[in-house]
């Protein structure tokens, strides 16, 4: 009963946006993967059924997270951090369930399902940073003992992801970290100094890895000459085919193996082909609303932990969506990251929905209706007491 | 220090939101740019990669006999291709291929190793083999559905029909000469490509243009395939009996010029032409000219009668068998004294003919030979026809008239000879011999042949009548006695000519060409037959070698058509010595033993035709009254019960072809594709039963077409 009452106060705008994205995503996963599934598995609904299972799990996770006090997760944040770090390290061992795909070690395969530890690491890092940045807020102005410590916590977990190699995820995670620093009111000078250092390191790393370097080179070439690489060219063709209203659901021609990863990284292009300009703008707009709601939740969060946590989650989701779209429209280099809620992908979908659940819980805790039940001010003050002893 | 808790994020949130908004606007602008401004140029690139022009092959037209029985048709087949790049274990692959397709593994291995990319491994193998191969799931092997040309009658009519190359081009015979008609017009379609590149797969899409192929027209021949099989069987038999090298037979309708049967031995199976020596592909009846020998005396005598040089009863002194003229010596087979012109022909006296020729004006002799069609192609619808040889008078030596009188220094094809026979038989009209009766497209007749095509008037009707009398004498009392058929007035002429020696010096003393040409019945001839046997080794006279073959063919034709057809005096053929007539029992459909017992019980004799176990045809028909100990002719075939093939899902035309290939007739209900068949596939039915095909026209555009 209590749970139902609580759910009645859920952030409905956020929920509706996510649900609409899920519906569009599921349709798109089906239409874009059916041919590939038929060819590779002899079952056109192969990917659809798997996606639906994950969808159910994800929504359950979302509701669960919406009901559980988010602070409980903050308590366990260091544990998540250690576990995900351990899993990332496992990727570099020669265990039977770890095998490189296209030369990169991103997946742990457990037969019935496989997942990317980086998905877990992302949220672990956000949790840990939200907790650390707020509880150590007073020492953040100290570059080495405050800010430096935070940077080290982040880089320790980003480094193995970078070495997998998964440059796209590493860069996004770094951007999320910097956004959280930004919202935690770290000095802008610190951010610029450390940021520039990291960028120069990144360029050095890119030069070391030919794979990344060719991708970025082709992107630069494409930007300069308009000669896009194969994937991007196919993606642009998809979008162009769509026009205003698209070719109609199921009528994509690019999905017949022209567009690689049509149901994953380039699903946005299929949205463009089948649902047109309107479809793509609607998807982007839904993400815009999600970002706006997320930031609102952050502002209204009952305490600093919630604030930073909500901001981190929002930035993470928004960055994934916008960078994915940026790749699809050919303005960003191919990074191989999916679009949240829309792309096919097991763990990512469950994790992203859990993140929405977390946001909803922060919203519930910070909402007036909740506050009215417990005396608003005292409740606030109670919440602002540091919950972790240093 | 930190800002107050109440105003915590302030400008930072504003900055963040601004950045997000800018990103959003940039993305939307970029989308608009791609989806509207760049749309056309990108769609152009898209079309190039999506669309693929595919040639749609038409189905080759059928070749039918005069009663529309299929002689050449199309059956579903499978061609096997391989992409060598996808085959890792070539040795294993070729071993499996060898097991299924029956060719040595080395054959496939060689092809798989010869080049990289797509190679053809086998053309037009049976769909069953294809299915077995598909079941093995070998990588890199692709099956392509195709149509294989099939000749259901096997060797029968092989040289008339010709065959089709792997690429579908008609080679030789009607397939070659009517290739343009049979081939049809290929269509084309723009199809949706798939990007995999692994296997060439294409989608048909309704919005793309498609020009359907126009199937080839069906060609209806004048050939009667029953006649053809009778002729071929007897020709083979005659060649075997006389140990000859080769032979040819032409059967024509004298009043229309239609070729009812045309055979050449040795023959081949057009279903697998490469297994036979190329010489067997030749239609000797039109391609092999030879010196006709005594049969050419018909031309001489016709000319002599037509210009009133001689009357049949005018006598010639035949020098008692030996006549020296112009340093050459002419011999007759037996010495004759004075012979009438009729007897010169009947006994085929060379000396009598030579003397007649010497009396005749050279130009006139030449004109008649020319008018009878010698030295010029007949223009029959087959490739590779020989002209024959007829020297113009200016090139004649003094001896030429003598040589020509007995059929030397002139060369003709058996078809030319048969056309000459027809000219006499029909009262003096040279008709153009023809093989194509009709061209049709499905049920619609596109063009019909004129009833007959007269080339010219050659001899007076009266002359022709006289000639028939003389030719009847040849068969009744002359050299052609072995061609006699009881109760029938047969006209004919024998011919025996020495072959030119291999070294080219004069004529061989051991190698002959024996021929017999004739027609019947004398009044209103229905059929003209010309038989040539090359180099027989047991016997060589035309009257001994070719005439019995003529007789055997004629007898079977008469049995087949019934005696009424030839105005036969019935009592002459089926002499009712026993006053009690016996009704013929129904024997069709029974196996040999049962039929034999039934016939013996009824007091009838059986003449067997064919080699199978089941009776498919009987003459006379059941319940005809016969005399005791009379003969019933039974044709047999291998098996009567047929297994119905699966035709569901096939277009009507293909379904009918497939059924016809199995000797099954069908009733069609509706148009389009067969959706239901009754009885079902695998069911056993009798030859007189029919299969009901229910058809519906449905265009299934979404269906994946694997080319």
């Amino acid at each position: 009963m209590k749970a139902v009452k609580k759910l009645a106060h859920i952030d409905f705008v956020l929920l509706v946006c996510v649900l609409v994205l899920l519906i569009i995503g599921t349709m798109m996963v089906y239409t874009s993967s059916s041919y590939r599934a038929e060819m590779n598995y002899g079952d056109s609904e192969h990917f659809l059924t798997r996606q639906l299972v994950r969808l159910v799990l994800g929504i359950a996770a979302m509701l669960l997270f919406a009901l559980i006090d988010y602070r409980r997760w903050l308590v366990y944040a260091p544990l998540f951090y250690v576990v995900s770090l351990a899993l990332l390290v496992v990727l570099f061992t020669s265990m039977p369930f770890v095998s490189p795909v296209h030369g990169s070690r991103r997946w742990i395969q457990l037969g019935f399902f496989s997942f990317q530890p980086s998905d877990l690491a992302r949220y672990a890092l956000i949790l840990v940073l939200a907790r650390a940045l707020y509880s150590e807020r007073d020492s953040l102005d100290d570059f080495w003992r405050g800010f430096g410590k935070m940077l080290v916590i982040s880089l320790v977990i980003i480094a193995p992801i970078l070495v997998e190699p998964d440059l796209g995820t590493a860069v996004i995670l770094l951007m999320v970290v910097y956004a959280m620093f930004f919202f935690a009111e770290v000095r802008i000078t610190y951010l610029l100094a450390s940021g520039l250092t990291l960028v120069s390191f990144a360029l050095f790393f890119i030069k070391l890895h030919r794979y990344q370097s060719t991708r970025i080179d082709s992107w630069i070439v494409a930007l300069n000459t308009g000669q896009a690489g194969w994937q991007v060219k196919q993606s642009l063709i998809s979008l162009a085919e769509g026009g205003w209203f698209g070719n109609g659901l199921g009528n994509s021609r690019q999905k017949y193996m022209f567009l690689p990863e049509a149901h994953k990284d380039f699903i946005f292009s299929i949205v463009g082909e089948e649902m047109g300009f309107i479809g793509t703008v609607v998807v982007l707009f839904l993400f815009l609303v999600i970002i706006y709601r997320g930031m609102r939740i952050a502002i209204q969060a009952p305490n600093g932990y919630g604030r930073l946590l909500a901001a981190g989650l929002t930035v993470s989701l928004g960055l994934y969506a916008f960078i994915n779209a940026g790749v699809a429209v050919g303005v960003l280099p191919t990074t191989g990251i999916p679009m949240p809620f829309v792309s096919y992908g097991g763990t990512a979908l469950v994790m992203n929905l859990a993140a929405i659940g977390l946001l909803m819980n922060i919203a519930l805790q910070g909402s007036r209706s909740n506050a009215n039940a417990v005396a608003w001010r005292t409740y606030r003050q109670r919440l602002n007491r540091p919950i972790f002893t240093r | 220090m930190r800002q107050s808790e109440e105003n915590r994020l302030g400008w930072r949130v504003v900055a963040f939101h601004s950045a997000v908004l800018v990103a959003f606007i940039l993305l939307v602008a970029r989308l608009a740019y791609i989806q509207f401004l760049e749309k056309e140029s990108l769609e152009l690139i898209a079309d190039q990669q999506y669309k693929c022009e595919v040639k749609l092959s038409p189905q080759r037209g059928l070749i039918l006999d005069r009663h529309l029985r299929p002689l050449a048709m199309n059956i579903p087949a499978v061609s096997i291709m391989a992409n060598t790049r996808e085959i890792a274990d070539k040795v294993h692959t070729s071993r499996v291929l060898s097991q299924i397709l029956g060719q040595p593994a080395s054959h496939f291995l060689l092809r798989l190793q010869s080049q990289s990319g797509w190679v053809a491994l086998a053309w037009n193998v049976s769909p069953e083999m294809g299915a077995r191969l598909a079941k093995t799931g070998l990588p890199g092997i692709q099956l392509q559905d195709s149509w294989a040309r099939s000749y259901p009658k096997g060797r029968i009519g092989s040289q008339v029909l010709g065959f089709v190359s792997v690429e579908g081009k008609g080679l030789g015979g009607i397939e070659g000469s009517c290739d343009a008609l049979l081939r049809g017009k290929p269509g084309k379609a723009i199809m949706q490509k798939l990007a995999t590149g692994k296997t060439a797969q294409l989608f048909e899409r309704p919005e793309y243009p498609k020009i359907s192929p126009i199937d080839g027209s069906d060609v209806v021949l004048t050939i009667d395939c029953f006649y053809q099989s009778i002729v071929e069987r007897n020709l083979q038999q005659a060649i075997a009996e006389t140990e000859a090298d080769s032979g040819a037979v032409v059967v024509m309708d004298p009043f229309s010029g239609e070729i009812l049967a045309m055979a050449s031995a040795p023959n081949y199976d057009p279903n697998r032409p490469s297994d036979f020596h190329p010489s067997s592909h030749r239609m000797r009846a039109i391609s092999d000219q030879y010196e006709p020998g005594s049969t050419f005396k018909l031309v001489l005598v016709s000319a002599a009668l037509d210009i009133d040089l001689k009357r049949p009863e005018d006598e010639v002194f035949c020098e008692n068998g030996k006549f020296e003229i112009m340093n050459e010596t002419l011999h007759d087979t037996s010495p004759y004294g004075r012979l009438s012109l009729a007897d010169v022909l009947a006994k085929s006296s060379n000396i009598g003919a030579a003397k007649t020729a010497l009396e005749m004006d050279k130009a006139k002799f030449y004109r008649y030979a020319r008018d009878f069609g010698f030295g010029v192609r007949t223009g029959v619808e087959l490739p590779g026809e020989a002209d024959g040889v007829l020297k113009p008078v200016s090139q004649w030596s003094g001896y030429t008239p003598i040589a020509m009188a007995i059929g030397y220094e002139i060369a003709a094809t058996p078809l030319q000879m048969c056309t000459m026979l027809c000219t006499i038989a029909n009262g003096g009209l040279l008709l153009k011999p023809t093989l194509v009766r009709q061209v049709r497209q499905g049920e619609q007749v596109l063009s019909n042949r004129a009833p007959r095509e007269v080339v010219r008037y050659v001899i007076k009707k009266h002359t022709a009548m006289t000639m028939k009398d003389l030719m009847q004498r040849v068969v009744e009392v002359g050299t052609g006695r072995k061609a006699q058929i009881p109760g029938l007035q047969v006209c004919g002429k024998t011919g025996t000519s020495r072959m030119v020696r291999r070294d080219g010096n004069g004529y061989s003393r051991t190698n002959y060409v024996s021929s017999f040409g004739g027609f019947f019945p004398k009044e209103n001839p229905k059929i003209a037959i010309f038989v040539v046997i090359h180099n027989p080794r047991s016997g060589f006279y035309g009257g001994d070698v070719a005439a019995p073959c003529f007789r055997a063919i004629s007898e079977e034709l008469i049995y087949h058509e019934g005696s009424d057809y030839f105005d036969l005096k019935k009592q002459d053929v089926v002499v009712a010595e026993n006053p009690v007539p016996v009704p013929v029992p129904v024997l069709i459909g029974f196996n040999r033993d049962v039929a034999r017992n039934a016939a013996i019980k009824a007091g009838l004799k059986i003449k067997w035709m064919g080699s199978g176990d089941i009776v498919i045809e009987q003459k006379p028909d059941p319940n005809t009254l016969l005399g005791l100990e009379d003969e019933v002719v039974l044709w047999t075939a291998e098996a009567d019960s047929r297994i119905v093939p699966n035709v569901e899902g096939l277009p009507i035309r293909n379904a009918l072809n497939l059924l016809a290939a199995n000797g099954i007739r069908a009733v069609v209900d509706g148009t389009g594709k067969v959706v239901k068949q009754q009885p079902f596939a695998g069911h056993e039915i009798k030859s007189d039963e029919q299969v009901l095909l229910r058809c519906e026209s449905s265009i299934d555009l979404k269906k994946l077409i694997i080319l």
Side-chain angles (χ1 to χ4, degrees):
Chain A
M1 250 355 256
K2 210 176 143 196
V4 175
K5 234 178 204 170
K6 251 186 176 177
L7 285 179
H9 298 296
I10 222 159
D11 187 333
F12 275 102
V13 176
L14 187 62
L15 181 66
V16 167
C17 286
V18 169
L19 286 181
V20 171
L21 280 174
L22 286 174
I23 290 166
I24 293 175
T26 311
M27 288 191 304
M28 286 301 133
V29 162
Y30 181 46
T31 111
S32 62
S33 70
S34 58
Y35 178 72
R36 191 180 305 260
E38 181 75 48
M39 285 295 114
N40 296 345
Y41 301 96
D43 168 19
S44 63
E45 287 165 13
H46 174 87
F47 291 111
L48 178 68
T49 43
R50 288 165 155 250
Q51 183 76 348
L52 285 173
V53 169
R54 272 77 177 268
L55 194 62
V56 171
L57 281 175
I59 287 175
M62 181 176 80
L63 294 178
L64 191 71
F65 276 71
L67 292 176
I68 296 171
D69 191 334
Y70 70 90
R71 286 168 299 163
R72 202 171 284 181
W73 304 109
L74 286 171
V75 174
Y76 298 118
L79 182 66
F80 293 141
Y81 183 85
V82 171
V83 168
S84 46
L85 194 58
L87 286 173
L88 284 170
V89 170
V90 162
L91 285 178
F92 295 96
T93 62
S94 52
M95 293 201 191
F97 43 82
V98 182
S99 61
V101 177
H102 301 308
S104 37
R105 300 165 162 272
R106 297 182 186 179
W107 294 92
I108 287 180
Q109 270 135 357
L110 295 172
F112 56 98
F113 92 122
S114 56
F115 78 104
Q116 294 197 43
S118 61
D119 281 329
L120 183 63
R122 179 162 86 242
Y123 290 111
L125 183 59
I126 292 170
L127 278 170
V128 160
L129 276 185
R131 172 176 158 168
L133 282 171
Y134 191 69
S135 56
E136 307 221 355
R137 60 190 178 279
D138 290 330
S139 59
L140 282 179
D141 284 348
D142 185 331
F143 188 88
W144 293 113
R145 291 161 103 193
F147 172 69
K149 205 163 127 190
M150 298 302 146
L151 201 55
V152 168
I153 291 173
S154 313
L155 291 181
V156 161
I157 210 154
I158 291 172
I161 295 173
L162 188 65
V163 182
E164 277 177 14
D166 188 354
L167 180 66
T169 308
V171 167
I172 288 191
L173 268 189
L174 209 58
M175 289 166 88
V176 171
V177 167
Y178 267 76
M180 289 182 75
F181 288 167
F182 180 71
F183 287 121
E185 295 163 58
V186 173
R187 284 186 186 176
I188 302 298
T189 47
Y190 289 3
L191 294 183
L192 286 177
S194 61
L196 287 174
T197 318
L198 284 173
V199 166
S200 41
F201 269 115
L203 288 176
F204 179 67
F205 177 83
I206 286 165
K207 278 289 159 211
L208 278 182
H209 281 74
R210 269 189 60 81
Y211 168 61
Q212 299 294 354
S213 132
T214 48
R215 268 189 177 189
I216 290 179
D217 281 351
S218 76
W219 170 59
I220 291 166
V221 168
L223 280 187
N224 290 339
T225 62
Q227 289 275 310
W230 169 260
Q231 285 183 315
V232 176
K233 183 176 135 189
Q234 296 305 328
S235 170
L236 296 185
I237 288 174
S238 280
L239 291 168
E241 283 282 314
W244 264 110
F245 300 104
N247 292 340
L249 283 178
N251 290 341
S252 163
R253 297 191 284 181
Q254 287 290 86
K255 65 188 178 187
Y256 296 121
M257 303 286 205
F258 283 102
L259 185 61
E261 306 277 311
H263 59 305
K264 289 183 185 162
D265 302 350
F266 281 96
I267 199 156
F268 189 63
S269 319
I270 301 290
V271 173
E273 194 179 353
E274 300 202 344
M275 296 165 74
F277 180 71
I278 302 295
T280 50
V281 170
V282 163
V283 167
L284 287 180
F285 184 74
L286 287 170
F287 277 109
L288 196 66
V289 173
I290 288 173
I291 292 169
Y292 171 73
R293 292 307 288 194
M295 287 316 288
R296 217 176 91 111
I297 290 167
I299 292 166
Q300 293 180 351
N303 64 1
Y305 302 115
R307 187 169 69 231
L308 284 173
L309 183 55
L313 294 173
T314 309
V315 169
S316 160
L317 287 173
L319 269 176
Y320 265 77
F322 277 35
I323 288 180
N324 177 282
V327 170
V329 299
V331 295
L332 293 176
T334 320
T335 47
I337 59 156
M339 180 169 269
F341 314 122
V342 183
S343 288
Y344 173 82
T347 37
L349 182 67
V350 177
M351 292 285 191
N352 288 334
L353 282 170
I356 292 292
L358 215 52
L359 272 179
M360 284 172 168
N361 185 262
I362 299 170
L364 277 178
Q365 305 265 353
S367 70
R368 249 165 228 295
S369 54
N370 196 359
N372 288 344
V374 194
W376 176 238
R377 282 278 160 196
T378 52
Y379 178 69
R380 242 359 206 318
Q381 283 160 6
R382 188 163 59 81
L383 283 175
N384 276 334
R385 279 201 302 268
I387 50 170
F388 315 108
T389 47
R390 256 184 272 173
Chain B
M1 264 306 286
R2 304 284 132 197
Q3 293 170 13
S4 76
E5 293 292 325
E6 298 304 320
N7 187 19
R8 27 195 195 262
L9 293 173
W11 68 272
R12 288 171 197 263
V13 172
V14 173
F16 177 74
H17 276 323
S18 316
V20 169
L21 207 61
V22 167
F24 176 77
I25 289 167
L26 282 176
L27 282 174
V28 171
R30 173 75 181 166
L31 278 171
Y33 175 72
I34 297 165
Q35 296 190 297
F36 304 122
L37 291 177
E38 288 276 88
K39 186 172 166 67
E40 284 188 12
S41 63
L42 283 168
E43 279 187 337
L44 215 66
I45 303 175
D47 274 355
Q48 283 171 2
Q49 65 177 20
Y50 291 155
K51 291 183 182 171
C52 168
E53 196 178 287
V54 174
K55 215 178 122 184
L56 301 174
S57 323
Q59 241 198 76
R60 199 171 169 83
L62 310 181
I63 301 179
L64 307 163
D65 89 335
R66 62 190 296 125
H67 300 301
L68 305 184
R69 287 174 285 216
L71 297 174
M73 51 191 229
N74 310 306
I75 56 169
V78 171
S79 293
I80 297 163
M81 315 281 286
N83 188 351
T84 53
R85 289 197 198 91
E86 289 177 29
I87 300 173
D89 190 349
K90 292 186 174 142
V91 177
H92 171 72
T93 303
S94 45
R95 211 170 280 154
V96 175
L97 284 167
S98 153
Q99 272 169 17
I100 292 172
L101 301 175
Q103 278 166 296
S106 56
H107 166 84
F108 296 112
L109 193 60
L110 197 70
R111 292 196 176 202
L112 288 176
Q113 288 173 338
S114 64
Q115 65 197 84
S116 71
W118 288 100
V119 285
L121 293 178
W123 296 99
N124 297 339
V125 301
S126 70
E128 293 76 47
M129 277 187 187
R132 275 172 60 198
L133 194 58
K135 234 182 244 170
T136 62
L138 283 174
I141 299 286
Q142 199 185 348
L143 305 176
Q144 287 189 349
D145 285 332
S146 58
W147 290 101
R149 198 64 163 167
S150 162
Y151 302 91
K153 308 282 177 199
R155 292 175 173 226
I156 293 180
S158 50
Q159 294 104 339
V160 173
L161 297 172
F163 54 92
V164 172
S165 71
V166 172
E167 300 84 39
K169 193 174 162 12
L171 300 174
I174 291 291
E175 295 275 25
S177 62
C178 297
D179 196 36
L181 282 172
L182 292 164
R183 198 191 300 138
K185 242 192 191 157
K188 59 182 176 183
I190 309 269
M191 296 187 106
Q192 165 84 61
K193 256 200 289 194
L194 304 176
T196 44
K198 224 179 171 185
T199 39
Q201 283 161 328
L202 300 168
F203 272 111
E204 209 170 291
R205 286 181 77 94
E207 69 265 28
Y208 290 173
K210 180 183 175 187
I211 302 166
S212 300
I214 300 169
D215 285 346
S217 309
D218 300 340
V219 172
V220 181
L221 300 184
T222 56
I223 297 282
D224 182 319
C225 81
F226 208 92
Y227 281 29
Q228 184 74 24
S229 65
I230 290 170
V231 165
E232 299 216 1
R233 181 155 31 79
N234 284 296
L235 178 62
Q236 295 288 355
Q237 209 171 329
I239 284 175
E241 280 169 7
T242 61
E243 298 160 55
D245 285 348
S246 62
V249 176
V250 182
V251 179
M252 281 174 72
D253 176 344
F255 281 90
S256 69
E258 289 182 336
I259 298 170
L260 303 174
M262 183 150 72
S264 170
N267 59 10
Y268 70 102
D269 184 349
N271 291 307
R272 43 191 182 96
S274 53
D275 293 355
F276 296 83
H277 192 272
S279 69
S280 68
H281 298 175
R282 209 162 72 221
M283 171 42 86
R284 291 167 195 274
I286 61 155
S287 66
D288 285 16
Q289 53 190 33
Y290 74 110
E291 289 176 298
S294 303
T295 37
F296 198 74
K297 286 174 186 155
L298 291 172
V299 175
L300 173 77
V301 176
S302 300
L305 294 173
D306 208 49
I307 58 175
D308 295 324
L309 181 70
K310 293 265 172 175
R311 283 168 297 156
E313 58 274 21
D314 288 352
E315 291 191 339
V316 194
F317 177 58
C318 291
E319 309 281 346
N320 292 319
K322 198 172 175 190
F323 180 44
E324 284 186 31
I325 183 168
M326 296 180 205
N327 304 324
E328 300 272 349
T329 313
L330 278 178
H331 293 277
D332 276 342
T333 46
S334 42
Y336 303 113
R338 298 186 71 82
L339 285 180
S340 67
L341 189 62
D343 281 339
V344 166
L345 201 64
K347 303 197 188 312
S348 201
S349 162
N350 291 339
I351 298 163
K355 284 189 163 177
T356 312
L358 285 173
E359 285 178 46
M360 200 188 297
D361 178 30
K362 285 178 184 173
K364 281 187 177 154
F365 190 14
Y366 171 79
R367 208 199 76 216
Y368 274 97
R370 182 101 216 171
D371 282 358
F372 268 114
F374 292 97
V376 185
R377 281 179 215 175
T378 63
V380 70
E381 299 90 340
L382 284 182
E385 190 181 4
D387 288 317
V389 177
L390 175 63
K391 291 192 285 187
V393 183
S394 58
Q395 291 172 20
W396 286 18
S397 68
Y399 186 71
T400 304
I402 299 167
M404 270 176 62
I406 58 174
Y408 290 89
E409 290 194 31
I410 181 166
T413 63
L415 180 62
Q416 284 174 328
M417 296 305 293
C418 196
T419 325
M420 183 265 286
L421 285 178
C422 289
T423 307
I424 297 171
N426 67 27
L429 293 177
L430 179 70
L431 300 176
K432 185 185 163 192
T434 178
L435 266 173
V436 177
R437 196 160 199 240
Q438 214 175 47
V439 178
R440 12 165 88 210
Q441 187 86 41
E443 292 297 301
Q444 185 196 355
V445 176
L446 295 185
S447 70
N448 258 321
R449 195 185 85 88
R452 64 180 188 182
E453 219 173 303
V454 179
V455 181
R456 66 179 77 87
Y457 290 84
V458 184
I459 49 173
K460 296 178 195 124
K461 201 163 189 175
H462 175 72
T463 314
M465 297 297 287
T466 317
M467 282 306 294
K468 285 194 210 170
D469 290 336
L470 301 189
M471 287 170 76
Q472 190 188 356
R473 268 178 62 82
V474 173
V475 174
E476 279 175 1
V477 299
T479 51
R481 286 191 298 273
K482 288 190 178 162
Q484 284 170 6
I485 299 166
L488 193 64
Q489 291 178 308
V490 177
C491 304
K493 179 70 189 88
T494 59
T496 312
S497 55
R498 293 166 191 271
M499 288 168 83
V500 176
R501 276 168 59 159
R502 287 244 175 80
D503 54 18
N505 295 326
Y507 291 97
S508 162
R509 292 189 171 277
T510 49
N511 302 331
Y512 293 85
V513 181
S514 310
S515 56
F516 185 90
F519 51 83
F520 58 88
K522 185 183 160 196
E523 313 299 332
N524 252 342
K526 284 267 176 23
I527 280 177
I529 304 174
F530 195 84
V531 180
V532 188
I533 309 279
H534 280 264
N535 200 12
R537 290 183 182 79
S538 57
F540 58 86
Y541 286 119
D544 295 335
V545 174
C549 179
F550 171 92
R551 183 197 149 123
I553 292 170
S554 307
E555 280 184 339
E556 269 196 60
L557 292 183
I558 292 163
Y559 278 125
H560 173 58
E561 290 288 3
S563 44
D564 290 345
Y565 183 76
F566 296 103
D567 304 328
L568 229 57
K569 283 168 244 154
K570 214 169 226 167
Q571 67 274 20
D572 286 344
V573 180
V574 287
V575 194
E577 279 159 359
N578 191 314
V580 185
V582 179
V584 177
V586 180
L587 299 172
I588 294 176
F590 295 105
N591 68 27
R592 259 173 198 268
D593 295 337
V594 176
R596 185 183 292 122
N597 290 340
I600 290 169
K601 217 170 168 186
L604 295 167
K605 274 198 221 160
I606 295 178
K607 183 170 182 181
W608 295 104
M609 299 277 181
S611 58
D613 195 43
I614 307 289
V615 177
I616 53 162
E617 182 80 316
Q618 71 178 88
K619 289 284 171 191
D621 292 331
N623 297 326
T624 311
L625 297 180
L626 287 185
L628 212 55
E629 290 296 303
D630 271 340
E631 218 173 47
V632 179
V633 187
L634 298 180
W635 281 266
T636 57
E638 283 310 331
D640 171 63
S641 57
R642 289 120 210 236
I643 306 291
V644 182
N646 183 14
V647 295
E648 276 177 27
L650 290 178
I652 291 191
R653 197 183 151 114
N654 305 344
L656 290 178
N657 279 349
L658 191 60
L659 289 174
N662 289 289
I664 299 168
R665 282 175 301 162
V667 184
V668 179
D669 176 18
T671 57
K673 279 184 178 163
V674 178
V675 292
K676 201 166 186 256
Q677 67 177 77
Q678 209 163 19
F680 299 112
H683 199 87
E684 207 168 298
I685 62 165
K686 286 267 161 57
S687 60
D688 57 343
E689 283 179 305
Q690 292 180 326
V691 175
L692 178 70
L693 302 179
R694 193 175 307 286
C695 303
E696 266 168 30
S697 180
S698 66
I699 302 155
D700 190 8
L701 291 162
K702 286 256 166 98
K703 198 186 151 207
L704 186 77
I705 294 185
I706 296 173
L707 288 176

